[in-house]
Amino acid sequence: MIKENVARILKDIPKTVELVGAAKTRSSSEMLEALEGGLHIIGHNYVKEAELAFQAIGDRAKWHMIGHLQSNKAKKAVALFDMIETVDSFKLAKAIDKASLKHAKSMPILIEINSAEEGQKPGVLPINTISLVEKISQLKNIKIMGLMTMGPATSNQEDCRPYFSRVCRLFEELKRKDNKAFEMRYLSMGMSSSYQVAIEEGANIIRLGTKLFGPRAQIKTGV
Ligand SMILES: *Cc1c(COP(=O)(O)O)cnc(C)c1O
């Protein structure tokens, strides 16, 4: 089923949109099945679980960190992931920068925005986004490549639209600055319940879990 789900979604979405398989709680054999269906990018929320899955899958996929990252795990995250989608503070960016220098790597990252401005949720507030991007962009071993957001927790995707649209406007505003220190190439928005609206509002990365792998057991997602 997973293989067919992936193939169907890939057929449905525009070719310009990249699909990330949000793989928290999934086994490496489920991830491999998704790769057989044409998935290229695995997104993980936890460094430890991702390391285990990486042992089984390795370079057959690209790896995106999509969960909240603590600064003290930056070293491991830099070693493993091809992109960290969830950078939301200068402190975390500095830890990633330092680890990247050791790996002789320029780490691609996205800036995570708390678009629904929900109290305890990770992400920088929309109003602080531009200054954070400009500050982080001065770090030498980090490559800002775009923005990411979760949107509000809701089962009605229309409720997400104004938040996705706001993040897209920030994305466009940053792009217009034409600042060589950062790039605005990727806009990562939309999950299983909201990806259609996210694409309409400009997303070119969507992150799907349930829609590809089926329902997951209730767990704390760490996001
Ligand atoms: C789990 C998760 C997703 C996917 O959620 P689904 O509703 O299962 O599609 C997307 N993004 C992040 C950051 C996640 O943690």
Side-chain angles (χ1 to χ4, degrees), residues 22 24 45 66 148 150 191-192 207-210 216 223:
K24 55 181 177 270
N45 295 67
I66 62 172
M148 177 270 204
M150 294 280 288
M191 327 201 317
S192 292
R207 310 175 310 270
L208 305 190
T210 318
R216 69 185 160 257
V223 295

Side-chain angles (χ1 to χ4, degrees), residues 1-220:
M1 273 310 103
I2 296 173
K3 190 174 151 185
E4 287 77 13
N5 291 346
V6 172
R8 196 183 54 247
I9 296 278
L10 284 173
K11 216 169 115 230
D12 282 354
I13 62 177
K15 291 273 168 293
T16 48
V17 175
E18 302 211 39
L19 177 62
V20 171
K24 55 181 177 270
T25 77
R26 315 296 179 173
S27 68
S28 43
S29 60
E30 289 175 296
M31 295 179 209
L32 283 169
E33 207 187 318
L35 298 185
E36 275 178 45
L39 184 74
H40 294 297
I41 309 171
I42 294 175
H44 223 300
N45 295 67
Y46 309 108
V47 174
K48 253 212 183 104
E49 279 86 340
E51 280 176 335
L52 285 176
F54 186 85
Q55 286 173 17
I57 294 168
D59 290 337
R60 280 181 280 181
K62 295 280 183 202
W63 296 81
H64 283 202
M65 177 61 178
I66 62 172
H68 183 62
L69 181 62
Q70 288 160 322
S71 302
N72 62 9
K73 301 226 172 86
K75 238 160 100 179
K76 286 189 165 174
V78 164
L80 176 62
F81 289 103
D82 298 291
M83 180 179 281
I84 299 173
E85 293 199 15
T86 47
V87 178
D88 64 355
S89 73
F90 189 64
K91 178 177 178 227
L92 174 58
K94 266 197 308 192
I96 293 170
D97 182 66
K98 193 171 155 208
S100 302
L101 178 62
K102 285 206 180 101
H103 279 269
K105 182 171 179 175
S106 177
M107 187 73 212
I109 65 159
L110 305 182
I111 303 299
E112 179 175 5
I113 299 172
N114 181 359
S115 54
E117 307 195 23
E118 291 168 308
Q120 298 309 305
K121 288 262 184 81
V124 59
L125 292 174
I127 192 164
N128 297 327
T129 300
I130 290 180
S131 61
L132 183 65
V133 166
E134 288 175 337
K135 193 165 175 202
I136 292 178
S137 73
Q138 313 204 343
L139 297 170
K140 292 280 179 288
N141 309 290
I142 276 188
K143 247 168 83 172
I144 300 180
M145 302 201 72
L147 306 178
M148 177 270 204
T149 197
M150 294 280 288
T154 164
S155 52
N156 177 4
Q157 60 173 336
E158 280 304 326
D159 294 344
C160 297
R161 192 184 293 277
Y163 303 99
F164 289 163
S165 152
R166 185 168 188 198
V167 174
C168 188
R169 286 198 303 274
L170 280 169
F171 183 77
E172 296 298 339
E173 187 178 342
L174 281 160
K175 205 187 266 187
R176 276 195 304 274
K177 288 191 181 285
D178 200 25
N179 183 334
K180 297 288 178 287
F182 59 82
E183 223 181 309
M184 282 292 130
R185 193 192 305 181
Y186 297 114
L187 183 52
S188 176
M189 315 192 287
M191 327 201 317
S192 292
S193 58
S194 60
Y195 73 95
Q196 284 118 335
V197 159
I199 291 171
E200 286 169 16
E201 295 301 329
N204 57 15
I205 294 181
I206 56 173
R207 310 175 310 270
L208 305 190
T210 318
K211 199 86 187 170
L212 308 183
F213 298 104
R216 69 185 160 257
Q218 278 300 309
I219 50 140
K220 274 192 75 180

